Amino acid sequence: MSLTVVASATKAVIIGFDQPFCVIGERINPTGRKKLAAEMIAGNFDTVTADALAQVAAGATMLDVNAGVTAVNPNETEPPLLVKTLEMVQALVDVPLSIDSSVSAAIEAALKVAKGRPLVNSVTGEEEKLEAILPLIKKYDVPVVAISNDETGISEDPDVRFEVARKIVQHAADYGIKPEDIVVDPLVM
C-alpha cells in the first residue's frame, strides 16, 4: 500500500487508506471571500492569522494556503503574496501546508521557501497544466493533488474522471514522480 508523506519543518502527516483521516483546513483562500481578498491586497493578514490558528485548534492536520486575490497580472502579483502568506502561516503553526494556486510561478516561488515537504494543490489533466506543474513536483520532490478534469471540464461520467486521473499518473511517471506522490481527487459528483 502506498503512503503519501507531507511535512512541515517539525511534523509529518501520512496520507493513506490505513492512516487517520487527513483534515485539510481550506479557510486561507480569498476566493469568494471579498473581505479577506481586500485585506490581503492591503497587506493586512489578521484574518489569515486568525484562520490559521483557528483551523489547527479545530483539528486540521494540514492547512491549504491560497493567495489568488486578483485576476490582474496574477503572474506578477500572486507569487510574492503567496510567499508572504506561506511564510507567515509557517511561522504560526507546525502543521504541513498545501500550496494552492493556479499560477505556476506562484507555486514555484512558494516551493522555494516552504519548509518540510508541502503538498501542491493541484494539477489537472490539461496538457498545459501537466507541463507546467509536473516538472516542479519532480524538482522539489513534493506530492501533488491530481484533479480529474481536463480541457473538456469535469465530466459527469466517473469512468471519464478515472481516465483523466490515469492520464495524470502516467504523465507524472514520465517525469519520474512516484505514484505515492500523487493524491487523486476524483471529484465525486
Side-chain angles (χ1 to χ4, degrees), residues 28 43-50 52 65 81-93 97:
I28 303 170
N44 176 349
F45 292 88
D46 292 346
T47 300
V48 169
T49 298
V65 179
L81 186 58
L82 183 57
V83 166
K84 183 173 184 175
T85 306
L86 185 80
E87 289 177 328
M88 179 175 295
V89 172
Q90 286 180 141
L92 288 170
V93 298
L97 302 179

PDB file of all heavy atoms in Angstrom, residues 28 43-50 52 65 81-93 97:
ATOM      1  N   ILE A  28      -7.797  29.624   4.346  1.00  0.00           N
ATOM      2  CA  ILE A  28      -6.851  30.646   3.882  1.00  0.00           C
ATOM      3  C   ILE A  28      -6.910  30.670   2.356  1.00  0.00           C
ATOM      4  O   ILE A  28      -6.026  30.208   1.651  1.00  0.00           O
ATOM      5  CB  ILE A  28      -5.430  30.383   4.417  1.00  0.00           C
ATOM      6  CG1 ILE A  28      -5.459  30.314   5.938  1.00  0.00           C
ATOM      7  CG2 ILE A  28      -4.473  31.482   3.945  1.00  0.00           C
ATOM      8  CD1 ILE A  28      -4.185  29.841   6.572  1.00  0.00           C
ATOM      9  N   GLY A  43      -2.262  44.248   2.542  1.00  0.00           N
ATOM     10  CA  GLY A  43      -1.159  43.855   3.415  1.00  0.00           C
ATOM     11  C   GLY A  43      -1.584  43.555   4.833  1.00  0.00           C
ATOM     12  O   GLY A  43      -0.752  43.473   5.739  1.00  0.00           O
ATOM     13  N   ASN A  44      -2.870  43.379   5.055  1.00  0.00           N
ATOM     14  CA  ASN A  44      -3.408  43.054   6.377  1.00  0.00           C
ATOM     15  C   ASN A  44      -3.626  41.543   6.432  1.00  0.00           C
ATOM     16  O   ASN A  44      -4.452  41.007   5.695  1.00  0.00           O
ATOM     17  CB  ASN A  44      -4.725  43.810   6.598  1.00  0.00           C
ATOM     18  CG  ASN A  44      -5.396  43.455   7.914  1.00  0.00           C
ATOM     19  OD1 ASN A  44      -5.021  42.505   8.590  1.00  0.00           O
ATOM     20  ND2 ASN A  44      -6.400  44.222   8.264  1.00  0.00           N
ATOM     21  N   PHE A  45      -2.922  40.876   7.337  1.00  0.00           N
ATOM     22  CA  PHE A  45      -3.015  39.425   7.429  1.00  0.00           C
ATOM     23  C   PHE A  45      -3.648  38.963   8.742  1.00  0.00           C
ATOM     24  O   PHE A  45      -3.435  37.831   9.165  1.00  0.00           O
ATOM     25  CB  PHE A  45      -1.628  38.804   7.228  1.00  0.00           C
ATOM     26  CG  PHE A  45      -1.125  38.984   5.827  1.00  0.00           C
ATOM     27  CD1 PHE A  45      -0.418  40.114   5.468  1.00  0.00           C
ATOM     28  CD2 PHE A  45      -1.401  38.045   4.853  1.00  0.00           C
ATOM     29  CE1 PHE A  45       0.025  40.305   4.172  1.00  0.00           C
ATOM     30  CE2 PHE A  45      -0.974  38.215   3.551  1.00  0.00           C
ATOM     31  CZ  PHE A  45      -0.256  39.349   3.204  1.00  0.00           C
ATOM     32  N   ASP A  46      -4.436  39.841   9.362  1.00  0.00           N
ATOM     33  CA  ASP A  46      -5.101  39.474  10.615  1.00  0.00           C
ATOM     34  C   ASP A  46      -6.033  38.271  10.440  1.00  0.00           C
ATOM     35  O   ASP A  46      -6.051  37.363  11.272  1.00  0.00           O
ATOM     36  CB  ASP A  46      -5.884  40.658  11.187  1.00  0.00           C
ATOM     37  CG  ASP A  46      -4.980  41.786  11.673  1.00  0.00           C
ATOM     38  OD1 ASP A  46      -3.757  41.554  11.823  1.00  0.00           O
ATOM     39  OD2 ASP A  46      -5.497  42.903  11.901  1.00  0.00           O
ATOM     40  N   THR A  47      -6.814  38.261   9.362  1.00  0.00           N
ATOM     41  CA  THR A  47      -7.740  37.148   9.143  1.00  0.00           C
ATOM     42  C   THR A  47      -6.976  35.878   8.802  1.00  0.00           C
ATOM     43  O   THR A  47      -7.344  34.792   9.253  1.00  0.00           O
ATOM     44  CB  THR A  47      -8.766  37.493   8.041  1.00  0.00           C
ATOM     45  OG1 THR A  47      -9.505  38.648   8.449  1.00  0.00           O
ATOM     46  CG2 THR A  47      -9.734  36.347   7.790  1.00  0.00           C
ATOM     47  N   VAL A  48      -5.907  35.992   8.032  1.00  0.00           N
ATOM     48  CA  VAL A  48      -5.068  34.827   7.723  1.00  0.00           C
ATOM     49  C   VAL A  48      -4.545  34.225   9.026  1.00  0.00           C
ATOM     50  O   VAL A  48      -4.624  33.013   9.242  1.00  0.00           O
ATOM     51  CB  VAL A  48      -3.899  35.201   6.784  1.00  0.00           C
ATOM     52  CG1 VAL A  48      -2.886  34.058   6.687  1.00  0.00           C
ATOM     53  CG2 VAL A  48      -4.414  35.576   5.400  1.00  0.00           C
ATOM     54  N   THR A  49      -4.035  35.068   9.900  1.00  0.00           N
ATOM     55  CA  THR A  49      -3.514  34.612  11.189  1.00  0.00           C
ATOM     56  C   THR A  49      -4.611  33.931  12.007  1.00  0.00           C
ATOM     57  O   THR A  49      -4.418  32.819  12.516  1.00  0.00           O
ATOM     58  CB  THR A  49      -2.926  35.803  11.983  1.00  0.00           C
ATOM     59  OG1 THR A  49      -1.834  36.347  11.237  1.00  0.00           O
ATOM     60  CG2 THR A  49      -2.447  35.381  13.354  1.00  0.00           C
ATOM     61  N   ALA A  50      -5.755  34.582  12.123  1.00  0.00           N
ATOM     62  CA  ALA A  50      -6.861  34.031  12.904  1.00  0.00           C
ATOM     63  C   ALA A  50      -7.338  32.701  12.307  1.00  0.00           C
ATOM     64  O   ALA A  50      -7.578  31.731  13.036  1.00  0.00           O
ATOM     65  CB  ALA A  50      -8.008  35.035  12.975  1.00  0.00           C
ATOM     66  N   ALA A  52      -5.644  30.572  10.395  1.00  0.00           N
ATOM     67  CA  ALA A  52      -4.630  29.528  10.570  1.00  0.00           C
ATOM     68  C   ALA A  52      -4.697  28.936  11.974  1.00  0.00           C
ATOM     69  O   ALA A  52      -4.766  27.713  12.147  1.00  0.00           O
ATOM     70  CB  ALA A  52      -3.232  30.085  10.296  1.00  0.00           C
ATOM     71  N   VAL A  65      -3.006  26.898   1.655  1.00  0.00           N
ATOM     72  CA  VAL A  65      -2.685  28.331   1.603  1.00  0.00           C
ATOM     73  C   VAL A  65      -2.828  28.803   0.166  1.00  0.00           C
ATOM     74  O   VAL A  65      -2.156  28.298  -0.739  1.00  0.00           O
ATOM     75  CB  VAL A  65      -1.262  28.607   2.123  1.00  0.00           C
ATOM     76  CG1 VAL A  65      -0.932  30.090   2.029  1.00  0.00           C
ATOM     77  CG2 VAL A  65      -1.104  28.116   3.565  1.00  0.00           C
ATOM     78  N   LEU A  81       2.827  37.513  -2.997  1.00  0.00           N
ATOM     79  CA  LEU A  81       1.782  37.459  -1.978  1.00  0.00           C
ATOM     80  C   LEU A  81       1.650  36.047  -1.410  1.00  0.00           C
ATOM     81  O   LEU A  81       1.487  35.868  -0.192  1.00  0.00           O
ATOM     82  CB  LEU A  81       0.447  37.942  -2.545  1.00  0.00           C
ATOM     83  CG  LEU A  81      -0.698  38.065  -1.538  1.00  0.00           C
ATOM     84  CD1 LEU A  81      -0.332  39.020  -0.397  1.00  0.00           C
ATOM     85  CD2 LEU A  81      -1.962  38.543  -2.255  1.00  0.00           C
ATOM     86  N   LEU A  82       1.748  35.038  -2.261  1.00  0.00           N
ATOM     87  CA  LEU A  82       1.681  33.663  -1.772  1.00  0.00           C
ATOM     88  C   LEU A  82       2.879  33.349  -0.888  1.00  0.00           C
ATOM     89  O   LEU A  82       2.734  32.717   0.167  1.00  0.00           O
ATOM     90  CB  LEU A  82       1.599  32.668  -2.937  1.00  0.00           C
ATOM     91  CG  LEU A  82       1.449  31.195  -2.552  1.00  0.00           C
ATOM     92  CD1 LEU A  82       0.215  30.952  -1.684  1.00  0.00           C
ATOM     93  CD2 LEU A  82       1.409  30.321  -3.802  1.00  0.00           C
ATOM     94  N   VAL A  83       4.059  33.807  -1.278  1.00  0.00           N
ATOM     95  CA  VAL A  83       5.257  33.591  -0.456  1.00  0.00           C
ATOM     96  C   VAL A  83       5.078  34.235   0.912  1.00  0.00           C
ATOM     97  O   VAL A  83       5.339  33.605   1.947  1.00  0.00           O
ATOM     98  CB  VAL A  83       6.519  34.125  -1.169  1.00  0.00           C
ATOM     99  CG1 VAL A  83       7.692  34.237  -0.208  1.00  0.00           C
ATOM    100  CG2 VAL A  83       6.883  33.220  -2.335  1.00  0.00           C
ATOM    101  N   LYS A  84       4.633  35.478   0.945  1.00  0.00           N
ATOM    102  CA  LYS A  84       4.438  36.173   2.222  1.00  0.00           C
ATOM    103  C   LYS A  84       3.419  35.438   3.099  1.00  0.00           C
ATOM    104  O   LYS A  84       3.637  35.246   4.297  1.00  0.00           O
ATOM    105  CB  LYS A  84       3.984  37.609   1.973  1.00  0.00           C
ATOM    106  CG  LYS A  84       3.834  38.411   3.242  1.00  0.00           C
ATOM    107  CD  LYS A  84       3.552  39.868   2.958  1.00  0.00           C
ATOM    108  CE  LYS A  84       3.507  40.640   4.270  1.00  0.00           C
ATOM    109  NZ  LYS A  84       3.363  42.071   4.029  1.00  0.00           N
ATOM    110  N   THR A  85       2.318  35.016   2.487  1.00  0.00           N
ATOM    111  CA  THR A  85       1.273  34.311   3.234  1.00  0.00           C
ATOM    112  C   THR A  85       1.799  32.985   3.757  1.00  0.00           C
ATOM    113  O   THR A  85       1.601  32.638   4.933  1.00  0.00           O
ATOM    114  CB  THR A  85       0.039  34.099   2.337  1.00  0.00           C
ATOM    115  OG1 THR A  85      -0.382  35.354   1.792  1.00  0.00           O
ATOM    116  CG2 THR A  85      -1.110  33.493   3.123  1.00  0.00           C
ATOM    117  N   LEU A  86       2.491  32.237   2.917  1.00  0.00           N
ATOM    118  CA  LEU A  86       3.036  30.938   3.307  1.00  0.00           C
ATOM    119  C   LEU A  86       4.043  31.090   4.449  1.00  0.00           C
ATOM    120  O   LEU A  86       3.993  30.348   5.435  1.00  0.00           O
ATOM    121  CB  LEU A  86       3.707  30.273   2.109  1.00  0.00           C
ATOM    122  CG  LEU A  86       4.209  28.864   2.335  1.00  0.00           C
ATOM    123  CD1 LEU A  86       3.055  27.881   2.224  1.00  0.00           C
ATOM    124  CD2 LEU A  86       5.290  28.517   1.335  1.00  0.00           C
ATOM    125  N   GLU A  87       4.944  32.057   4.329  1.00  0.00           N
ATOM    126  CA  GLU A  87       5.933  32.264   5.395  1.00  0.00           C
ATOM    127  C   GLU A  87       5.266  32.643   6.706  1.00  0.00           C
ATOM    128  O   GLU A  87       5.677  32.178   7.775  1.00  0.00           O
ATOM    129  CB  GLU A  87       6.941  33.329   4.969  1.00  0.00           C
ATOM    130  CG  GLU A  87       7.873  32.840   3.882  1.00  0.00           C
ATOM    131  CD  GLU A  87       8.851  33.902   3.391  1.00  0.00           C
ATOM    132  OE1 GLU A  87       8.508  35.104   3.379  1.00  0.00           O
ATOM    133  OE2 GLU A  87       9.973  33.513   3.012  1.00  0.00           O
ATOM    134  N   MET A  88       4.237  33.458   6.627  1.00  0.00           N
ATOM    135  CA  MET A  88       3.519  33.864   7.836  1.00  0.00           C
ATOM    136  C   MET A  88       2.847  32.665   8.501  1.00  0.00           C
ATOM    137  O   MET A  88       2.951  32.475   9.715  1.00  0.00           O
ATOM    138  CB  MET A  88       2.472  34.920   7.478  1.00  0.00           C
ATOM    139  CG  MET A  88       1.648  35.392   8.646  1.00  0.00           C
ATOM    140  SD  MET A  88       0.562  36.718   8.134  1.00  0.00           S
ATOM    141  CE  MET A  88       1.786  37.947   7.723  1.00  0.00           C
ATOM    142  N   VAL A  89       2.174  31.839   7.694  1.00  0.00           N
ATOM    143  CA  VAL A  89       1.476  30.671   8.244  1.00  0.00           C
ATOM    144  C   VAL A  89       2.484  29.675   8.815  1.00  0.00           C
ATOM    145  O   VAL A  89       2.271  29.117   9.897  1.00  0.00           O
ATOM    146  CB  VAL A  89       0.558  30.032   7.181  1.00  0.00           C
ATOM    147  CG1 VAL A  89      -0.023  28.718   7.681  1.00  0.00           C
ATOM    148  CG2 VAL A  89      -0.556  31.005   6.784  1.00  0.00           C
ATOM    149  N   GLN A  90       3.597  29.462   8.125  1.00  0.00           N
ATOM    150  CA  GLN A  90       4.637  28.554   8.634  1.00  0.00           C
ATOM    151  C   GLN A  90       5.170  29.000   9.988  1.00  0.00           C
ATOM    152  O   GLN A  90       5.532  28.171  10.819  1.00  0.00           O
ATOM    153  CB  GLN A  90       5.825  28.476   7.660  1.00  0.00           C
ATOM    154  CG  GLN A  90       5.561  27.678   6.432  1.00  0.00           C
ATOM    155  CD  GLN A  90       6.759  27.615   5.495  1.00  0.00           C
ATOM    156  OE1 GLN A  90       7.000  26.567   4.926  1.00  0.00           O
ATOM    157  NE2 GLN A  90       7.492  28.682   5.308  1.00  0.00           N
ATOM    158  N   ALA A  91       5.243  30.309  10.199  1.00  0.00           N
ATOM    159  CA  ALA A  91       5.744  30.839  11.469  1.00  0.00           C
ATOM    160  C   ALA A  91       4.718  30.677  12.594  1.00  0.00           C
ATOM    161  O   ALA A  91       5.086  30.678  13.764  1.00  0.00           O
ATOM    162  CB  ALA A  91       6.122  32.317  11.314  1.00  0.00           C
ATOM    163  N   LEU A  92       3.450  30.529  12.238  1.00  0.00           N
ATOM    164  CA  LEU A  92       2.369  30.443  13.235  1.00  0.00           C
ATOM    165  C   LEU A  92       2.057  29.026  13.686  1.00  0.00           C
ATOM    166  O   LEU A  92       1.730  28.794  14.847  1.00  0.00           O
ATOM    167  CB  LEU A  92       1.066  31.026  12.664  1.00  0.00           C
ATOM    168  CG  LEU A  92       0.975  32.513  12.495  1.00  0.00           C
ATOM    169  CD1 LEU A  92      -0.281  32.863  11.699  1.00  0.00           C
ATOM    170  CD2 LEU A  92       0.951  33.199  13.846  1.00  0.00           C
ATOM    171  N   VAL A  93       2.078  28.083  12.743  1.00  0.00           N
ATOM    172  CA  VAL A  93       1.622  26.717  13.032  1.00  0.00           C
ATOM    173  C   VAL A  93       2.671  25.713  12.582  1.00  0.00           C
ATOM    174  O   VAL A  93       3.498  26.014  11.725  1.00  0.00           O
ATOM    175  CB  VAL A  93       0.265  26.421  12.355  1.00  0.00           C
ATOM    176  CG1 VAL A  93      -0.824  27.356  12.883  1.00  0.00           C
ATOM    177  CG2 VAL A  93       0.360  26.511  10.841  1.00  0.00           C
ATOM    178  N   LEU A  97       1.685  22.145   5.068  1.00  0.00           N
ATOM    179  CA  LEU A  97       0.885  23.061   4.263  1.00  0.00           C
ATOM    180  C   LEU A  97       0.647  22.510   2.869  1.00  0.00           C
ATOM    181  O   LEU A  97       1.431  21.721   2.348  1.00  0.00           O
ATOM    182  CB  LEU A  97       1.579  24.416   4.175  1.00  0.00           C
ATOM    183  CG  LEU A  97       1.858  25.114   5.503  1.00  0.00           C
ATOM    184  CD1 LEU A  97       2.563  26.434   5.273  1.00  0.00           C
ATOM    185  CD2 LEU A  97       0.579  25.299   6.311  1.00  0.00           C
TER     186      LEU A  97
END
